[in-house]
Amino acid sequence: MSTTDRRDFLKTGAVAGAAAAAVSLIPTAVHAAGNDVIKVGLIGCGGRGSGAIHDSLEADKSTQLFAVADFFEDRAKGAVSNLQKKQADRVNVGERVFHGLNGYKQLLESGVDLVILATPPGFRPVHLEAAVKANKHIFCEKPVAVDGPGIKKCLELVEESKKNGKAVVAGTQRRHQAGYIETIKQIKDGAIGDIVSARCAWNNNGIWFNARNGSEADVAYQIRNWYHYLWLCGDHIVEQHVHNLDVINWVMGAHPVKAVALGGRGFGRKSGAPEEVGNIWDHFAVEFEYPNGVPLYSYCAHVPGIVSDVSETVYGSKGRSHVNRYSIGKKRVFEGTEINPYVQEHIDLIQSIKAGKPLNELQSVTESTMTAILGRTAAYSGQVVTWDQMLKSTNSTMPDGLTEQTALKVPPVPVPGKYKV
Amino acid sequence: MKVRYTVPSLVLAAASVGVVFATSRADDAAKQLVPPAPVVPVKLDLPAKNFTETLPGTEVKFEMVYVPTGEYTMGSPDDEPGRDANEGPRRKVKVKAFWLGKCEVTWDEYYKFWNDEKLFMAGEVPEDLKKVLGPDAITKPTNTFVDELYDHGRDGHPAVCMSHHAAMMYCHWLRWKTKKGYRLPTEAEWEFACRAGHDGPYGFDKAEKLGDYAWYKENSATKDSTDPNSRRADDGEPTTHKVGTKKANKLGLHDMHGNVSEWCLDQYDPKFRESLPADKVILGAFNKPTDKKWSHVVRGGSWADLPTDPVNRLRSASRRVSDRTWMKNDPQVPRSIWWLTKLDVVGFRVCVPVEEYPELVGLKPMVEKKPD
């Protein structure tokens, strides 16, 4: 294609639906020349979103911030003005600053090539679906869902996004980290023999909580404290520990088939009405089983004063590997310097787009998210739960008829033995 | 439920500690907020010898070593092996007497601050209370994004991944708790204490004795003097060790070389050293810290350094300058002002001057969270 055609193509690509379907067979090496601008749309302008757009601009000089959307108008505007102060030449937002629950729809129609999905995870399946249907390249933060129906949607989108020939890179940045890649390559090459078991953890002090701003509506208050609400966060096993579970899935080349678990809420969270303080737990201990019978012992906790531990360990017939420290037995297998993995994932994404070989990580990040939801469900319910059972789950956490002014009832903290799978 | 705060007028007079009860939830511990600048005496009226500090209301104790006033030549000569250009030009400096932590600040100590239930976490101070107190009430660190230990030991081990601001705020908290003028040591004080009268590369006579005094890359891959939490020690990897387990220097200070690099108070300015007069003895010789997040200096090298590195950071005069990359693994914007993500070689020790330099009276942490 000539440059002009490419530009036209990009415009066409911005139109969702029929037009997108019509061009989906055209190869995606639209940026092969290396000097085209990649228009990036940022959906979710909180701490991570603001970090992700930074990383995207640092990753490749062809990216440009083109549009933003956030539930809160001041957040959306703030993200733009912060970047304008630092890198005005990379910001071309004009009037494309959208807000509210439907801001993402306007953003997807604004002519962006690539979207960053960085809102609280509860909204992710809906945003992913809209972005795939709008035929965009996608950088999608983890986790990709917080419940069974959301997972189901993501699994359906895997095929569709591949058919579009668009890239989907997930925020599981360890998969883009040189030390992890080398260590896991050596494990897969037999460095510790046959894998007999694995262990992973994310235990630390916990997470922030923001006081209510005067009389702000429930929805706004809960979104500002999204981490503490199941419908928005999925609980810390899904939101955070998913990173470590993802590493073990990567090593195993598979996902677990069942889980049994214990956990609760008692030490690291505020107490009070769930509307005010949220309804997630603060500790989980899960025993997963992989198809070949290999167990994974997984721990995550947010409890002040406990020993912190964020790690992945794999035990083999010939030794063990602390994957997070890049060690096999007592030897470091990677000592080099790494590019910041949060930037590296964007480098890999954009290079894959430019090479016309778009990376698509949606399947693996969906499986890892599902692994975490499986562990959470086993713990909440106190039952053995299988992967297939979870796939059939219709248990949706998303509140019905959500609007910006909704007074939002919050379900109670799950009680094992009573919670239904 | 709306809460009304009343602040006793004595807080506004900054004469002592005000108490504010925030009971937005019945079970919330009442939070005690302190005036922005805890008032401490300019001169600490204690005998000229070591003392033991006990963190009020806890079992945690640490030793403070008395360092008498003295003069010395700061910096390193051009021909010192492993030297970096920023260690010169050398200047004659006088420091007033002070107390310096016998050891680096340990997790045991730091956790008492981090988990102080009477303090709000940064970012959790209710809006209406902020209006009363201004932005700089003592706040405790946000929780770490990942993990603060990175598989190093905890109990008795030095606190790591500390930002300069976190070290400053810990000192600020100590002032409030103890009514003593705790702060970070200036570079001039730190180097004077590290040298302990030695003009050469280390604060002892022979370079080959480094292993007696310091934990560094060659000797730190051992389980000796570590706690059971240390997965690195288990694996025979270089790591931090319990403080005070190597030999003390002549002043009685441990781990000035190695274990963790230690923050000094000063704002780093590459031209500052040169700006000091070469022909007289300079009193204090510090460059006062500002509200800037970067740059400052850590000193003394760490468990991860080698004397054979191109720049030997373990030496008395070595100055490692902080910069943005020390937070490159923080995925958030704005980045944390409390934690150096993955930079598990940086800690600090605390200092109390006998009589504070006038320029440093009323010093407080000033860094605010904003995109940088």
Side-chain angles (χ1 to χ4, degrees):
Chain A
M1 285 194 280
S2 75
T3 314
T4 339
D5 289 346
R6 261 200 297 276
R7 295 239 165 80
D8 288 344
F9 166 78
L10 286 179
K11 271 191 212 129
T12 333
V15 182
V23 297
S24 67
L25 300 173
I26 299 172
T28 49
V30 292
H31 298 287
N35 51 9
D36 292 85
V37 167
I38 299 177
K39 297 172 182 163
V40 182
L42 174 62
I43 301 175
C45 303
R48 177 73 279 257
S50 304
I53 185 66
H54 256 266
D55 298 334
S56 177
L57 297 185
E58 191 176 324
D60 196 290
K61 58 183 186 303
S62 53
T63 52
Q64 177 188 75
L65 179 62
F66 191 74
V68 295
D70 193 277
F71 178 81
F72 301 101
E73 188 174 13
D74 59 340
R75 274 275 171 87
K77 285 179 169 163
V80 176
S81 67
N82 282 336
L83 266 182
Q84 247 154 356
K85 276 178 217 145
K86 306 277 169 198
Q87 310 187 63
D89 58 325
R90 309 288 299 278
V91 180
N92 172 26
V93 170
E95 300 297 297
R96 293 174 294 276
V97 180
F98 308 108
H99 64 95
L101 283 170
N102 290 319
Y104 74 97
K105 291 181 184 168
Q106 294 160 285
L107 181 139
L108 286 168
E109 288 165 5
S110 71
V112 296
D113 307 317
L114 170 105
V115 288
I116 293 174
L117 306 182
T119 64
F123 299 114
R124 193 95 63 242
V126 173
H127 291 175
L128 253 173
E129 182 176 44
V132 169
K133 297 225 181 298
N135 202 19
K136 304 298 178 192
H137 294 293
I138 298 166
F139 174 80
C140 166
E141 260 309 332
K142 48 29 78 179
V144 288
V146 298
D147 58 12
I151 288 287
K152 218 164 143 181
K153 186 169 280 187
C154 292
L155 287 173
E156 287 161 9
L157 292 171
V158 172
E159 272 324 293
E160 199 171 338
S161 61
K162 283 188 174 157
K163 241 189 350 240
N164 286 348
K166 289 291 190 274
V168 185
V169 163
T172 40
Q173 78 286 346
R174 285 164 176 77
R175 292 202 185 225
H176 298 263
Q177 209 164 324
Y180 269 97
I181 293 166
E182 176 59 26
T183 309
I184 289 175
K185 179 183 173 293
Q186 294 201 18
I187 295 173
K188 286 181 186 267
D189 289 347
I192 56 171
D194 297 331
I195 293 169
V196 294
S197 66
R199 175 193 182 278
C200 64
W202 194 311
N203 302 330
N204 70 359
N205 247 27
I207 197 84
W208 41 264
F209 200 104
N210 296 307
R212 200 185 274 260
N213 277 342
S215 58
E216 74 183 326
D218 283 352
V219 175
Y221 173 67
Q222 290 183 26
I223 289 178
R224 281 197 314 107
N225 283 301
W226 63 271
Y227 207 102
H228 297 271
Y229 294 88
L230 181 59
W231 72 276
L232 285 162
C233 156
D235 215 320
H236 64 124
I237 185 172
V238 176
E239 201 282 337
Q240 209 170 32
H241 192 41
V242 64
H243 279 297
N244 317 103
L245 297 169
D246 182 62
V247 167
I248 306 298
N249 280 356
W250 177 15
V251 171
M252 299 298 294
H255 61 73
V257 290
K258 63 180 182 186
V260 60
L262 291 170
R265 173 182 174 115
F267 315 107
R269 308 263 179 242
K270 291 176 188 290
S271 51
E275 286 76 16
E276 290 300 319
V277 301
N279 58 343
I280 65 167
W281 280 9
D282 59 15
H283 62 286
F284 290 83
V286 189
E287 198 178 313
F288 291 100
E289 191 180 297
Y290 281 89
N292 53 1
V294 168
L296 160 63
Y297 307 101
S298 127
Y299 307 93
C300 57
H302 280 170
V303 178
I306 61 171
V307 120
S308 77
D309 175 8
V310 180
S311 64
E312 304 94 16
T313 306
V314 182
Y315 300 86
S317 54
K318 295 183 190 160
R320 77 175 170 189
S321 167
H322 285 302
V323 188
N324 57 297
R325 289 214 311 279
Y326 314 153
S327 70
I328 302 268
K330 294 201 169 184
K331 195 168 114 276
R332 284 248 168 179
V333 298
F334 182 86
E335 291 274 18
T337 49
E338 282 172 340
I339 291 178
N340 172 359
Y342 300 104
V343 175
Q344 186 68 57
E345 58 192 354
H346 287 274
I347 294 174
D348 296 347
L349 164 65
I350 289 158
Q351 287 188 344
S352 84
I353 293 170
K354 288 185 172 181
K357 295 182 180 154
L359 278 173
N360 193 315
E361 298 179 334
L362 189 50
Q363 180 76 32
S364 61
V365 71
T366 302
E367 284 180 6
S368 296
T369 303
M370 175 74 159
T371 302
I373 294 173
L374 172 69
R376 180 190 78 198
T377 307
Y380 279 3
S381 65
Q383 313 300 316
V384 175
V385 183
T386 67
W387 185 270
D388 294 332
Q389 255 177 300
M390 271 319 302
L391 281 181
K392 295 192 185 88
S393 164
T394 53
N395 199 341
S396 168
T397 54
M398 182 59 84
D400 289 330
L402 188 66
T403 73
E404 281 157 45
Q405 292 309 320
T406 317
L408 211 46
K409 289 303 284 175
V410 172
V413 175
V415 177
K418 296 185 177 165
Y419 178 92
K420 293 280 176 285
V421 174
Chain B
M1 177 179 143
K2 206 83 177 97
V3 194
R4 293 214 170 277
Y5 302 98
T6 52
V7 179
S9 57
L10 68 156
V11 172
L12 302 174
S16 102
V17 176
V19 181
V20 174
F21 293 101
T23 49
S24 55
R25 290 166 210 92
D27 69 304
D28 252 16
K31 310 270 190 191
Q32 192 172 32
L33 284 143
V34 295
V39 178
V40 294
V42 172
K43 189 169 190 298
L44 183 55
D45 199 13
L46 281 180
K49 59 177 196 191
N50 298 4
F51 70 88
T52 301
E53 186 68 87
T54 305
L55 290 178
T58 78
E59 309 280 279
V60 176
K61 294 181 170 60
F62 58 90
E63 293 283 308
M64 295 297 288
V65 168
Y66 181 74
V67 182
T69 183
E71 290 178 22
Y72 75 110
T73 307
M74 185 160 68
S76 62
D78 293 357
D79 61 354
E80 192 169 284
R83 177 187 195 264
D84 201 354
N86 68 7
E87 296 168 29
R90 297 193 90 186
R91 289 290 183 262
K92 290 222 176 346
V93 171
K94 180 181 182 180
V95 291
K96 297 199 287 184
F98 59 99
W99 286 272
L100 188 63
K102 184 187 185 122
C103 296
E104 292 146 343
V105 171
T106 61
W107 283 119
D108 315 53
E109 294 150 28
Y110 197 80
Y111 279 127
K112 293 297 174 204
F113 162 53
W114 192 11
N115 294 324
D116 185 340
E117 289 184 357
K118 292 189 169 160
L119 295 178
F120 282 104
M121 197 188 282
E124 293 189 3
V125 183
E127 289 299 319
D128 36 359
L129 199 50
K130 272 186 201 163
K131 287 185 193 114
V132 177
L133 285 155
D136 52 3
I138 296 181
T139 49
K140 58 181 175 178
T142 51
N143 286 326
T144 48
F145 174 68
V146 180
D147 159 17
E148 68 278 14
L149 296 177
Y150 290 98
D151 292 351
H152 296 284
R154 184 184 67 173
D155 302 351
H157 286 246
V160 293
C161 298
M162 296 284 122
S163 70
H164 190 265
H165 177 75
M168 292 278 285
M169 192 62 92
Y170 174 80
C171 294
H172 210 48
W173 174 79
L174 273 185
R175 291 181 195 215
W176 171 52
K177 283 282 180 195
T178 64
K179 299 289 171 292
K180 298 186 188 83
Y182 279 99
R183 57 163 168 78
L184 291 172
T186 65
E187 284 199 67
E189 287 164 340
W190 192 96
E191 189 175 327
F192 179 66
C194 177
R195 288 187 173 282
H198 294 272
D199 200 43
Y202 301 112
F204 44 87
D205 50 2
K206 294 191 175 66
E208 58 269 25
K209 290 188 186 167
L210 183 62
D212 298 343
Y213 291 88
W215 293 110
Y216 61 105
K217 196 167 183 177
E218 258 164 2
N219 70 357
S220 70
T222 164
K223 271 174 109 154
D224 299 346
S225 315
T226 62
D227 85 345
N229 288 317
S230 178
R231 286 186 294 275
R232 288 181 193 246
D234 272 353
D235 279 2
E237 292 196 3
T239 181
T240 65
H241 288 257
K242 290 192 179 201
V243 300
T245 51
K246 287 287 184 186
K247 249 170 116 165
N249 71 9
K250 275 189 190 149
L251 289 164
L253 298 161
H254 293 271
D255 303 305
M256 294 299 285
H257 304 287
N259 214 10
V260 289
S261 295
E262 302 169 20
W263 284 117
C264 291
L265 184 75
D266 310 55
Q267 200 74 36
Y268 177 72
D269 172 355
K271 297 194 176 72
F272 177 71
R273 191 71 63 91
E274 216 161 327
S275 73
L276 298 170
D279 55 350
K280 53 175 137 177
V281 178
I282 308 128
L283 179 68
F286 49 81
N287 192 33
K288 204 176 156 176
T290 67
D291 61 352
K292 289 198 168 60
K293 196 168 167 182
W294 316 109
S295 300
H296 309 89
V297 170
V298 293
R299 308 198 57 156
S302 77
W303 60 271
D305 290 315
L306 280 173
T308 49
D309 288 339
V311 170
N312 172 4
R313 294 187 178 129
L314 294 153
R315 292 167 307 107
S316 305
S318 174
R319 308 167 79 203
R320 187 180 182 185
V321 183
S322 67
D323 67 60
R324 275 183 183 75
T325 62
W326 289 23
M327 291 205 176
K328 75 171 187 185
N329 288 292
D330 185 337
Q332 306 275 329
V333 167
R335 286 176 171 169
S336 173
I337 56 175
W338 297 96
W339 298 101
L340 300 174
T341 319
K342 263 181 120 170
L343 211 76
D344 51 357
V345 294
V346 174
F348 66 106
R349 79 177 68 213
V350 296
C351 165
V352 184
V354 172
E355 185 174 16
E356 186 58 284
Y357 296 93
E359 302 90 328
L360 297 178
V361 171
L363 184 78
K364 62 181 187 200
M366 288 173 279
V367 175
E368 283 180 39
K369 192 169 177 175
K370 51 178 189 264
D372 66 324

